[in-house]
Amino acid sequence: MAIEINGTASEAAPRPGQCLRTFLREQGNLGVKKGCDGGDCGACTVHVDGTPVHSCIYPAVRAEGHAVTTIEGLAGTTDGGLHPVQQQFLERQGFQCGFCTAGMVMTAATFDDAQKDNLPRNLKGNLCRCTGYRAIADAVCGNAGHPDPEGPGSGIAGEGQPDPEPGRLGDDVPAPASRAVVTGAARYTLDVPPDQQQGLLHLKILRSPHAHARVVSIDKDAALNVPGVVAVLTSEDAPAQLFSTAQHELFTDDPDDTRVLDDVVRFIGQRVAAVVAESVSAAEAGVRALQVEYQELPAVFSPQEALLPGAALVHGDKDAAKARISRPERNVVAELHSELGNVADGFAAADFIHEQTYRTQRVQHVALETHAAIATVDDDGRLQVRTSSQVPFLVRRTLCRVFGLEEDRVHVVAGRVGGGFGGKQEVLTEDLVALAALKLKRPVQLELTRTEQFTATTTRHPFTIKLKAGAAKDGRLTALELDVVTNTGAYGNHGPGVMFHGCGESLAVYKCANKKVDAHSVYTNTVPAGAFRGYGLSQMIFAIESAMDELAAGIGMDPLEFRRRNMVREGDHMLSTQPEPEEDVHYGSYGLDQCLDLVRDALDRGRLRYREAGLEDLGPDWMVGQGTALSMIDTVPPRGHFAHSRLRLLPDGTYQADVGTAEFGNGTTTVHSQLAATALSTEASRVAVRQSDTDLVEHDTGAFGSAGTVVAGKATLEAAEELAVRIRGFAAGIRQTQASACVLDGDAVVVDGTRVALAELAQAAADAGVELAAEGRWGGTPRSVAFNVHGFRVAVNRGTGELKILQSVQAADAGVVVNPRQCRGQIEGGIAQAIGATLYEEVVVNDDGKVTTDILRQYHIPTFADVPRSEVYFADTNDKLGPLGAKSMSESPFNPVAPALANAIRNATGVRFAQLPIARDRIYLGLKEAGLVPAREQVLS
């Protein structure tokens, strides 16, 4: 019996043991995604006879004789129209990166009204890492959802309603890819149609079972005898060039400590060998057939252990100067030692001193699209790489450096990227597929499994922060001293940058004459750490903002008032530990004071709402409190972040913008179309954006450090403004008038009161041999600062440790908000991700260095039921350094969440939790130690 797919009987039959997901994709239904292959994320949801199923765990053979509907067939025969749920997701922008959206839509399309009333239960099988779920709820319910409380700067009015005239700066312009996302037509990295996959080989990796070992020998024979296996690659096949998987504008920011394939492995999960075969199953069989002899070496698993004299050395074979490692003989990748003023004098002047050790954990990015890449060598010998990357231009540079190629011989393109959060600011797949493709001259694909994401990519850096801070009774911060140790894992990718950045704005946001920091980034034989949203700031801010509340309590002052007295004001020097501020960081605008007021007022309104609703008294077992925290971030990474954009007028009178930056839910595509539309006095829908392709523009450092708007956006704005001048000038020339008499207006130029269609101008320019085009560039400096303040009201159950978030509020100084709906979504997504990192997410590494939380079922990311509906407010500022007054707002919303939540729990219970995650069992044990657990509960425990 054939499987009917979207109304048509399939001519193919599933292979023995094949899951429905892979079968459907082989038939060209590329909207069916892979996020887990364990039935945990829902990205692969399809309908079988109208019932939603996770196709990754549904045997394809079970679908024989049944009707299967994928996202591509959901709308049925509606003459190009959309299913109502698809339309609602489009209108309410119920997505960011969009990788989970097809599965969300397929699940929601079967809901009746009763199911819509209980989304926490009925959407539990569909995960989203980007949105924070509010926009998804609005889309599923087909209305604006439950209305949010409004207040000054809320940016909420009209939320959830489609914009009838999507246009320019400040409008809720829908993402250009909206329709493609909700219909499954958006193309992510591996969404290559089957007819374009001829000759495609698949690569799988043998990974180390040891935390530290030398590879003595690899017997390839059995693997090469597996039917379908084409090649086995080992360190003997790999270039000797050392590099870093981390990607920055200056590759010297990171240590050269990595080889494509090495004969020494330094963590459980590291690459040992690669098997290339005609199919994934053959490659996996080849991996299992490899015989490897290892010589085990001593290992270290904590940075404290690694710093001890005589500890096993992770990179003792490296030359410190050549590899740019601070002290490989002591496992120190990078270090910082600095003092501003004299902390001893500062503590002597203090009336209250707080000392505490704060600890943060490993957190995985869990972008729903795993790392993946396809490499091929074209007929001209040029290496072509399609990859899920935030930094395609830097990937090209690294491949050229590793393989000794000229840049014009390498072409890198990123399709739509299914989430990043810093995890895709690395080269983790591209080098291996390039090695295989260059050797075999055939296309080679590598797609990491979810388990490989957990065990073999990167995590957030764990920090241990010994903090000592002093305050005077008048509310003055007198001294701040920190001893910081970060665990960079087996390789130093991002280790120096995360350490330095973490110790930067977290300290600079407070005025204090006496600051001291000693910091070390340390190697261990564990899974490497890397770039993660916040880039070290979130870890440091957790400690510093927790300390601010403790100091305020110690001197009897309101925590917000204590912050207000000590935070930097416009005109103040922003000093971390250096005597001089960074010369290119300025107050492009200042809205921190507004953010504090917005959060305070919102929390006050929230208490009033609870009181009026009769919900204030939750019972004797519940303790209620509130807490806040603030953060500051530089809007652009230091030492240069470059972008180049091109705009041109097309023959039909619309525009095309070519930009280098990537789209992975950060909204850059929308922002670039809006910035260009504003400068060209047209609508965003008339600006088509092409991006993430190294053949399109000269160079783009990449989409990290929240640079998509304030760097690449500046380049696009410059190009658009120049193009507007050229169009007006050309129109003036052919109409023999002054350029000042020509005004751009939508699809035309108004010349002395007469509309001249842009299409007519484009034809005239073509006839005259003139190209109406322009370019823009930006180098990322000078830089501004952005601010975020978060507030929570919580209830904690003294008997069980249960935590309820009663209210969540964030105020952001984002400058002029280019797209309020989109910016709000970025903030909500950051809040949701940070709540997960605060309360339960943790990559657990056992005593042998093995990651034990290696599937989504063991690693809890926030579900619909876990995320409160946050109130979002915007300060009223206009940044003189950003494009049309805008600031960055992708990373920063994450940073103040953990300390605000910890401070709220402290305010409710009197107990300071100084280690993340603040899981329910830790809350219970902390309350029990403080004597707050009722006797009856202690007996039960």
Side-chain angles (χ1 to χ4, degrees):
M1 292 182 292
I3 300 174
E4 181 185 294
I5 304 174
N6 298 326
T8 302
S10 171
E11 296 181 1
R15 298 186 299 275
Q18 185 175 27
C19 73
L20 183 58
R21 182 188 68 82
T22 59
F23 177 77
L24 291 170
R25 286 183 62 84
E26 287 173 1
Q27 309 314 306
N29 300 283
L30 302 178
V32 184
K33 303 302 186 204
K34 169 188 171 179
C36 65
D37 270 348
D40 295 326
C41 76
C44 67
T45 302
V46 300
H47 296 170
V48 177
D49 294 337
T51 300
V53 301
H54 289 178
S55 61
C56 69
I57 56 172
Y58 192 98
V61 69
R62 284 183 56 190
E64 290 183 344
H66 296 277
V68 175
T69 306
T70 72
I71 188 71
E72 291 90 345
L74 182 63
T77 56
T78 56
D79 298 325
L82 299 177
H83 184 280
V85 173
Q86 290 175 312
Q87 186 67 35
Q88 289 159 197
F89 267 80
L90 186 152
E91 291 177 354
R92 285 138 184 104
Q93 294 291 282
F95 60 87
Q96 286 181 26
C97 84
F99 196 79
C100 72
T101 304
M104 286 278 184
V105 169
M106 295 304 291
T107 298
T110 65
F111 285 175
D112 56 27
D113 289 342
Q115 288 171 303
K116 291 179 182 179
D117 287 340
N118 192 358
L119 293 183
R121 175 179 179 82
N122 293 304
L123 276 180
K124 66 180 181 180
N126 291 81
L127 299 177
C128 178
R129 192 56 157 167
C130 297
T131 65
Y133 296 104
R134 187 271 313 164
I136 290 172
D138 291 351
V140 172
C141 292
N143 53 43
H146 301 290
D148 292 292
E150 294 190 20
S154 65
I156 287 171
E159 180 60 42
Q161 302 303 320
D163 191 329
E165 290 279 346
R168 306 170 192 173
L169 187 73
D171 292 337
D172 287 335
V173 174
S178 293
R179 190 179 182 88
V181 168
V182 303
T183 59
R187 292 294 173 250
Y188 296 82
T189 307
L190 300 187
D191 292 341
V192 178
D195 61 359
Q196 297 177 24
Q197 297 186 27
Q198 287 87 355
L200 180 67
L201 298 173
H202 296 270
L203 186 151
K204 299 301 288 186
I205 300 168
L206 174 69
R207 298 189 178 276
S208 171
H210 304 295
H212 199 189
R214 187 174 303 280
V215 179
V216 177
S217 65
I218 300 177
D219 186 343
K220 306 178 182 179
D221 291 344
L224 290 170
N225 286 328
V226 172
V229 169
V230 175
V232 176
L233 305 175
T234 70
S235 62
E236 296 176 352
D237 302 290
Q241 175 68 53
L242 291 170
F243 68 104
S244 175
T245 63
Q247 301 298 293
H248 288 107
E249 178 61 34
L250 301 176
F251 73 83
T252 51
D253 282 356
D254 302 282
D256 283 342
D257 58 9
T258 304
R259 280 187 67 194
V260 175
L261 290 166
D262 206 336
D263 60 354
V264 175
V265 289
R266 295 175 173 86
F267 70 97
I268 294 175
Q270 183 171 333
R271 307 165 172 178
V272 175
V275 176
V276 187
E278 301 285 351
S279 67
V280 172
S281 59
E284 290 174 337
V287 167
R288 291 192 296 270
L290 289 171
Q291 299 293 317
V292 183
E293 180 184 352
Y294 298 95
Q295 176 193 354
E296 289 194 60
L297 302 172
V300 288
F301 301 113
S302 75
Q304 291 74 24
E305 175 191 3
L307 287 169
L308 294 174
L313 299 181
V314 181
H315 286 278
D317 59 335
K318 301 296 191 300
D319 181 288
K322 289 183 179 179
R324 299 182 302 281
I325 301 171
S326 178
R327 287 185 290 154
E329 74 279 4
R330 292 299 297 274
N331 290 316
V332 176
V333 184
E335 55 194 304
L336 168 65
H337 306 282
S338 186
E339 184 171 8
L340 179 66
N342 187 299
V343 293
D345 291 345
F347 288 121
D351 294 303
F352 179 80
I353 294 174
H354 167 67
E355 293 187 74
Q356 180 67 265
T357 298
Y358 292 89
R359 293 180 173 87
T360 66
Q361 80 284 32
R362 291 178 178 87
V363 176
Q364 231 287 326
H365 308 81
V366 195
L368 285 190
E369 181 194 34
T370 63
H371 285 79
I374 303 171
T376 189
V377 178
D378 66 19
D379 293 340
D380 294 328
R382 192 181 190 212
L383 179 65
Q384 308 275 354
V385 179
R386 179 178 175 88
T387 177
S388 181
S389 176
Q390 300 172 221
V391 286
F393 288 81
L394 301 188
V395 168
R396 178 181 66 178
R397 186 186 64 187
T398 294
L399 294 177
C400 291
R401 182 170 174 241
V402 169
F403 294 103
L405 302 171
E406 296 297 323
E407 282 198 353
D408 64 355
R409 305 306 297 158
V410 180
H411 174 211
V412 177
V413 61
R416 190 173 179 90
V417 178
F421 317 113
K424 293 175 180 174
Q425 193 189 336
E426 308 267 356
V427 168
L428 296 175
T429 56
E430 300 91 343
D431 56 334
L432 264 183
V433 293
L435 174 66
L438 289 168
K439 181 179 180 67
L440 301 172
K441 301 299 188 289
R442 286 182 62 182
V444 180
Q445 173 177 305
L446 171 59
E447 178 181 21
L448 298 191
T449 65
R450 181 56 59 188
T451 292
E452 286 178 304
Q453 289 291 125
F454 280 114
T455 61
T457 58
T458 62
T459 71
R460 185 172 74 152
H461 282 76
F463 272 49
T464 301
I465 305 161
K466 294 181 180 178
L467 180 147
K468 183 178 180 181
K473 288 180 180 178
D474 61 3
R476 181 171 43 90
L477 186 61
T478 63
L480 193 54
E481 181 176 17
L482 301 105
D483 186 305
V484 181
V485 176
T486 82
N487 185 349
T488 197
Y491 291 89
N493 43 303
H494 296 283
V498 166
M499 182 198 70
F500 285 116
H501 188 239
C503 295
E505 296 99 287
S506 60
L507 291 167
V509 75
Y510 286 112
K511 295 177 290 187
C512 181
N514 308 294
K515 301 176 183 178
K516 182 179 180 182
V517 173
D518 291 288
H520 298 83
S521 179
V522 182
Y523 284 123
T524 61
N525 292 112
T526 60
V527 60
F532 188 101
R533 198 174 199 164
Y535 209 70
L537 278 181
S538 63
Q539 297 96 312
M540 291 292 291
I541 289 169
F542 170 63
I544 292 172
E545 288 299 296
S546 295
M548 294 301 110
D549 261 38
E550 292 299 326
L551 291 174
I555 62 173
M557 182 174 287
D558 175 77
L560 273 180
E561 180 58 28
F562 181 74
R563 287 179 171 82
R564 195 182 298 276
R565 292 193 185 191
N566 290 284
M567 69 191 191
V568 292
R569 300 279 183 169
E570 189 167 12
D572 290 337
H573 289 311
M574 294 174 277
L575 302 175
S576 52
T577 57
Q578 302 300 324
E580 296 295 331
E582 292 188 79
E583 61 182 17
D584 72 330
V585 179
H586 308 283
Y587 296 99
S589 65
Y590 181 86
L592 181 53
D593 51 354
Q594 291 183 53
C595 290
L596 285 175
D597 291 339
L598 288 166
V599 168
R600 182 193 290 276
D601 292 347
L603 290 173
D604 288 345
R605 292 194 302 273
R607 282 197 306 272
L608 180 61
R609 287 196 305 272
Y610 257 75
R611 187 178 305 123
E612 291 175 344
L615 300 175
E616 192 173 56
D617 185 5
L618 298 174
D621 286 341
W622 290 93
M623 300 172 285
V624 177
Q626 71 180 44
T628 56
L630 61 80
S631 64
M632 177 176 76
I633 189 170
D634 294 343
T635 56
V636 184
R639 294 181 303 285
H641 197 110
F642 297 89
H644 173 228
S645 297
R646 288 193 180 98
L647 261 81
R648 64 190 181 100
L649 181 64
L650 297 176
D652 64 357
T654 63
Y655 299 95
Q656 180 175 284
D658 291 342
V659 302
T661 191
E663 173 63 67
F664 55 102
N666 50 349
T668 56
T669 315
T670 319
V671 165
H672 284 264
S673 66
Q674 285 183 262
L675 291 172
T678 301
L680 293 164
S681 299
T682 190
E683 290 74 44
S685 59
R686 294 180 54 78
V687 182
V689 179
R690 300 190 303 176
Q691 60 192 125
S692 311
D693 185 330
T694 59
D695 279 359
L696 288 180
V697 295
E698 294 171 0
H699 180 70
D700 188 286
T701 300
F704 64 90
S706 303
T709 295
V710 295
V711 177
K714 289 265 285 190
T716 295
L717 180 63
E718 180 182 280
E721 290 174 338
E722 176 61 25
L723 179 56
V725 170
R726 294 184 182 184
I727 291 173
R728 289 195 299 268
F730 183 78
I734 62 175
R735 288 302 179 101
Q736 297 182 338
T737 187
Q738 299 296 315
S740 58
C742 302
V743 179
L744 281 162
D745 182 23
D747 61 354
V749 178
V750 179
V751 183
D752 291 328
T754 302
R755 292 182 67 83
V756 180
L758 288 174
E760 180 183 333
L761 276 182
Q763 183 61 55
D767 292 343
V770 175
E771 183 183 21
L772 291 177
E775 301 182 32
R777 293 174 176 79
W778 188 252
T781 186
R783 300 179 286 155
S784 185
V785 286
F787 301 98
N788 297 75
V789 176
H790 202 95
F792 283 106
R793 290 185 70 245
V794 303
V796 182
N797 189 295
R798 68 177 73 246
T800 66
E802 181 184 355
L803 174 73
K804 291 182 179 180
I805 297 176
L806 306 178
Q807 187 180 9
S808 170
V809 182
Q810 186 163 137
D813 175 15
V816 173
V817 181
V818 178
N819 188 311
R821 178 170 56 192
Q822 183 172 280
C823 190
R824 183 186 179 193
Q826 286 290 304
I827 294 170
E828 290 170 333
I831 294 169
Q833 195 173 47
I835 286 174
T838 304
L839 296 182
Y840 35 77
E841 290 188 44
E842 182 172 17
V843 175
V844 177
V845 177
N846 69 13
D847 292 341
D848 297 321
K850 182 178 181 179
V851 173
T852 59
T853 47
D854 61 356
I855 59 175
L856 281 174
R857 204 157 295 189
Q858 297 168 339
Y859 183 90
H860 177 188
I861 71 167
T863 67
F864 189 98
D866 297 316
V867 181
R869 194 175 178 97
S870 293
E871 302 168 44
V872 175
Y873 301 90
F874 295 117
D876 183 12
T877 62
N878 188 319
D879 196 85
K880 62 179 178 287
L881 301 176
L884 301 180
K887 292 186 186 182
S888 59
M889 197 52 56
S890 289
E891 286 190 284
S892 57
F894 184 99
N895 294 331
V897 172
L901 198 43
N903 289 340
I905 295 170
R906 164 70 164 87
N907 181 249
T909 66
V911 179
R912 168 58 61 189
F913 291 92
Q915 180 175 351
L916 297 180
I918 310 175
R920 181 171 173 174
D921 56 345
R922 285 184 178 165
I923 295 176
Y924 173 81
L925 292 173
L927 298 180
K928 184 176 180 181
E929 185 178 350
L932 295 173
V933 176
R936 68 180 188 278
E937 301 294 345
Q938 293 193 42
V939 171
L940 290 174
S941 67

